[in-house]
Amino acid sequence: MKEIKIQDREIKKYTRRSWLSFVKFFALTGIGFAGWRWLYTQPLDGGILGGIPEPLRKGLEINEKLFKTTFNSARLVKEYAKSDAAKKVRVNGDVGLDTELFEPKKWTLEIQKAVGKTVSVKLEELMKLPKTEVVYNFKCIEGWSQVSWWGGVRFADFANHFGLEKELLMNYVGMSTPDFDYYVGIDMESALHPQTILAYEMNGKPLPMQHGYPLRLIIPVKYGVKSLKRIGSIYFDNEKPSDYWAERGYDYYIGL
Ligand SMILES: Nc1nc2c(c(=O)[nH]1)N[C@H]1C(S)=C(S)[C@@H](COP(=O)(O)O)O[C@H]1N2
Ligand SMILES: [Mo]
């Protein structure tokens, strides 16, 4: 008799428990659904395609702050031997690389100084500066990566050579293709990272056209999107410069 009573009570307890989880399940699903609906009624953050809901952008901005406080500019990205570098380098993205209107012989790099003046620099001038090579695992957010070998001038060496001290005090560097179709914004700390280079070589040879001839950015602390091919101009700002993929919803900072 006694045993049966205990079992009875146990059964009641469990029935009550499963009833409670049932109610909780529906309540939480309801909250989740309402939250999701709310998110998609929030204003978008702008950008060419309308951007992403503001609360999501806030989330990215919080990530960015965390990243900035934990990012150690002295930390180097892992390097590989030149023999590990891919011989066939993958090509990805051709925005701003229209070849029809582009005249390689007339190309110069335009540096917009903080106060008014623009300085035009020829490739030969850049090639006279100390060369830095980097062999690292290039990562694209689309899910592929590849060890590749690049050579050029360190952004920091370039900036010192051209007397950009004032510009370096600003928060961001902006870079764009000569036709302004592709553009990136880089936080100054990452631009001055010792492995960030303005590259004019790939696998020890001049950059092939599709890889950004005559000059591209190689920034190993970030995903491939920021490694702008065919740099036309470089500018400086305290506010975030426009960024092609950030305008399309990606993280602005997009560090590794
Ligand atoms: N001008 C320009 N630069 C660009 C892109 C682009 O579309 N246009 N795509 C970016 C992306 S998403 C990646 S992954 C790399 C790919 O560089 P690769 O073609 O040399 O592999 O270039 C970046 N730089
Ligand atoms: Mo990419």
Side-chain angles (χ1 to χ4, degrees), residues 28-151:
L28 288 175
T29 309
I31 292 171
F33 183 68
W36 175 80
R37 286 240 322 228
W38 169 80
L39 189 59
Y40 282 89
T41 54
Q42 292 305 296
L44 301 180
D45 72 338
I48 280 178
L49 303 176
I52 60 171
E54 267 168 11
L56 292 184
R57 177 62 68 190
K58 288 249 158 63
L60 287 177
E61 274 161 11
I62 292 167
N63 280 348
E64 182 176 327
K65 282 219 177 89
L66 284 173
F67 235 105
K68 273 192 181 159
T69 47
T70 54
F71 179 76
N72 179 354
S73 51
R75 208 192 93 214
L76 292 181
V77 169
K78 186 182 172 185
E79 293 221 25
Y80 295 76
K82 283 174 184 165
S83 55
D84 291 337
K87 301 277 171 299
K88 264 199 168 170
V89 184
R90 221 174 140 148
V91 176
N92 200 53
D94 58 2
V95 183
L97 298 187
D98 253 343
T99 356
E100 284 155 45
L101 297 169
F102 180 62
E103 294 176 77
K105 286 201 183 96
K106 288 194 184 154
W107 177 90
T108 53
L109 175 67
E110 306 293 299
I111 311 168
Q112 288 172 25
K113 304 265 276 190
V115 188
K117 228 167 87 192
T118 299
V119 181
S120 303
V121 181
K122 290 204 171 101
L123 188 60
E124 299 82 79
E125 281 180 74
L126 295 174
M127 290 171 78
K128 278 186 204 139
L129 302 179
K131 184 157 99 184
T132 298
E133 290 181 284
V134 54
V135 185
Y136 77 110
N137 194 16
F138 188 110
K139 293 179 185 155
C140 169
I141 28 167
E142 283 169 24
W144 56 270
S145 71
Q146 190 179 47
V147 173
S148 49
W149 163 25
W150 310 92

Side-chain angles (χ1 to χ4, degrees), residues 225-249:
V225 281
K226 293 281 188 184
S227 285
L228 181 132
K229 298 189 273 192
R230 197 191 285 169
I231 308 173
S233 46
I234 298 188
Y235 32 90
F236 301 86
D237 208 331
N238 280 323
E239 303 302 318
K240 284 179 180 155
S242 327
D243 186 276
Y244 187 89
W245 282 110
E247 283 171 359
R248 284 155 181 81

Side-chain angles (χ1 to χ4, degrees), residues 181-195:
D181 278 354
Y182 195 87
Y183 35 90
V184 296
I186 312 276
D187 56 283
M188 191 57 77
E189 213 182 341
S190 301
L192 294 176
H193 185 277
Q195 287 165 306

Side-chain angles (χ1 to χ4, degrees), residues 155-169:
F155 182 80
D157 293 344
F158 156 85
N160 283 332
H161 179 83
F162 289 99
L164 302 174
E165 294 79 19
K166 252 192 223 140
E167 285 75 11
L168 295 193
L169 294 175

